């Protein structure tokens, strides 16, 4: 409305578009910024450092709380990124807290998977490292693993046995969450099979499979190595093939993350929230619901994840494929063609700002 427009600062007219950036293979390779990402991102801020264009990071990666990832990204890119702007593969696990709030759940993956879950509100969560440590001889290969003695299971965060109000060995695991890329595939597959086929207590008789959730299902992704690395989807295939050989009923699971349409619906809702916070006029919740984007750009490197998902999400999504990660083709991808193919994220931002401003 007119009144709302008057309340805004000069030059802060609400943009009708938003941007979602993939991280691995677009913004970073390993921990190194690529494709001119720091310059590109800086163009989305005003000279005084305030956000000018609503954007989020929409990554299938994770392993640390959104607040910590925001701080890391701020350091790497030289701008102020808020936790709200970081949507990771596991971010939707937050929505499952009601169902599992006081149940024992196991969190799998690199980084601090149990800290991530307890920040979402899960009260009885153990990392698979810590969980496995209670069961003597559960991993017959542990003595050959040079790292096992140093294994850090969210030490500073999670209580040790003496402080736990329950008995890990007899309490059944009610849910398993693969939060980030598993580190010790062999041990993790073994322990997950133990939990899932026993109905929640390793070594017990067979029982009903507890629910299993994956943050994403990427077969491969772009890290620091010159060619793709196996991702969470590859781990899922390994676990599933083995489980289905040793168990009478097939593995049941749910995968979140891109290309699941839910990830794009959620991203749109988060972008709307950012708009209402940035261009704060009147009732925030109503504003967030009302704001309609003419276009949301998904800038990604993986045709079967980022582009497939954005294309399937449809209006207002517009897919942009870079050549800095998984995709290196000369022309467009044949099976999942993007609306636009560019070399780098910098080129993508150039295109978007020329078109929109
Ligand atoms: O482990 C991270 C990988 O699966 C994908 O990350 O940022 O390319 O969605 P991203
Ligand atoms: Mg990527």
């Amino acid at each position: 409305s007119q009144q709302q427009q008057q309340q805004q600062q000069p030059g802060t007219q609400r943009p009708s578009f938003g941007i979602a950036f993939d991280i691995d293979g677009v913004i970073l390779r390993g921990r190194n910024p690529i494709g001119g990402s720091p310059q590109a991102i800086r163009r989305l801020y005003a000279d005084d450092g305030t956000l000018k264009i609503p954007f989020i990071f929409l990554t299938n990666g994770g392993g640390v709380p959104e607040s910590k990832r925001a701080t890391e990204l701020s350091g790497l890119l030289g701008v102020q990124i808020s936790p709200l702007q970081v949507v990771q593969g596991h971010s939707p696990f937050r929505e499952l807290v009601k169902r599992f709030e006081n149940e024992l759940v196991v969190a799998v993956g690199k980084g601090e998977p149990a800290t991530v879950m307890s920040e979402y509100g899960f009260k009885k969560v153990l990392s698979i490292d810590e969980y496995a440590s209670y069961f003597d001889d559960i991993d017959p290969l542990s003595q050959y693993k040079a790292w096992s003695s140093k294994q850090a299971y969210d030490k500073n965060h999670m209580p040790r046995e003496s402080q736990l109000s329950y008995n890990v060995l007899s309490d059944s695991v009610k849910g398993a969450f693969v939060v980030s890329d598993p580190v010790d595939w062999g041990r993790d597959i073994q322990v997950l099979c133990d939990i899932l086929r026993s109905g929640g207590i390793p070594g017990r008789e067979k029982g009903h499979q507890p629910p299993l959730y994956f943050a994403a299902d990427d077969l491969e992704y772009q890290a620091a190595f010159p060619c793709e690395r196996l991702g969470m989807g590859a781990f899922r295939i390994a676990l599933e093939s083995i489980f289905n050989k040793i168990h009478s009923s097939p593995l049941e699971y749910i995968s979140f993350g891109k290309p699941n349409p839910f990830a794009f619906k959620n991203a749109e809702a988060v972008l709307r929230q950012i708009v209402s916070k940035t261009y704060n006029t009147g009732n925030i919740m109503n504003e967030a619901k009302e704001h309609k984007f003419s276009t949301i750009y998904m800038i990604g490197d993986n045709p079967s994840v980022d582009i497939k998902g954005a294309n399937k999400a449809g209006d207002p999504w517009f897919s942009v494929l870079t050549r800095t990660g998984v995709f290196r083709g000369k022309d467009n991808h044949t099976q999942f063609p993007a609306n636009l193919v560019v070399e780098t994220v910098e080129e993508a931002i150039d295109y978007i700002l020329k078109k929109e401003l």
Side-chain angles (χ1 to χ4, degrees), residues 22-26 258 301-302 306:
D22 177 65
I23 295 183
D24 292 313
V26 170
K258 304 165 287 185
D301 68 304
N302 193 335
D306 307 310

Side-chain angles (χ1 to χ4, degrees), residues 208-234:
H208 190 68
Q209 187 213 307
L212 169 66
Y213 301 96
F214 291 92
D217 198 42
D218 290 18
L219 183 59
E220 295 184 302
Y221 70 103
Q222 185 66 53
F225 195 71
C227 72
E228 299 94 308
R229 302 293 82 199
L230 300 174
M232 195 180 287

Side-chain angles (χ1 to χ4, degrees), residues 295-331:
T295 311
I296 303 176
Y297 297 90
M298 173 73 230
I299 308 178
D301 68 304
N302 193 335
S304 57
V305 176
D306 307 310
I307 306 306
K308 179 185 179 184
N311 289 353
K312 223 172 139 194
D315 191 46
W317 288 89
F318 181 97
S319 55
V320 185
L321 179 58
T322 70
R323 292 197 176 89
T324 44
V326 170
F327 176 74
R328 290 137 209 256
K330 238 183 115 239
D331 304 306

Side-chain angles (χ1 to χ4, degrees), residues 20-22 56-61 86-93 95 214-218 254-272 296 298 305-306 308-310 312-314 317:
F21 293 94
D22 177 65
I56 58 167
F57 294 101
L58 184 59
T59 176
N60 276 355
V86 179
V87 182
Q88 308 191 91
H90 49 70
S91 299
F93 288 171
E95 311 301 326
F214 291 92
D217 198 42
D218 290 18
I254 295 175
S255 299
F256 291 85
K258 304 165 287 185
N260 191 331
F262 174 82
F264 292 84
K265 275 267 157 285
N266 178 51
E268 198 176 332
V270 174
L271 277 164
R272 255 187 263 124
I296 303 176
M298 173 73 230
V305 176
D306 307 310
K308 179 185 179 184
K312 223 172 139 194
W317 288 89

Side-chain angles (χ1 to χ4, degrees), residues 101-138:
E101 201 172 0
N102 297 306
E103 309 281 12
L104 176 59
V105 299
V106 164
V108 184
K110 69 175 183 184
E112 309 155 23
T115 307
V116 167
M117 297 296 281
S118 44
E119 288 211 358
Y120 291 161
F122 292 81
K123 299 215 170 64
K124 251 171 97 175
V125 52
L126 294 178
S127 70
I128 197 162
D129 290 341
E130 177 162 16
Y131 183 75
S133 76
Y134 289 103
F135 294 84
D136 292 339
D137 305 321
I138 198 166

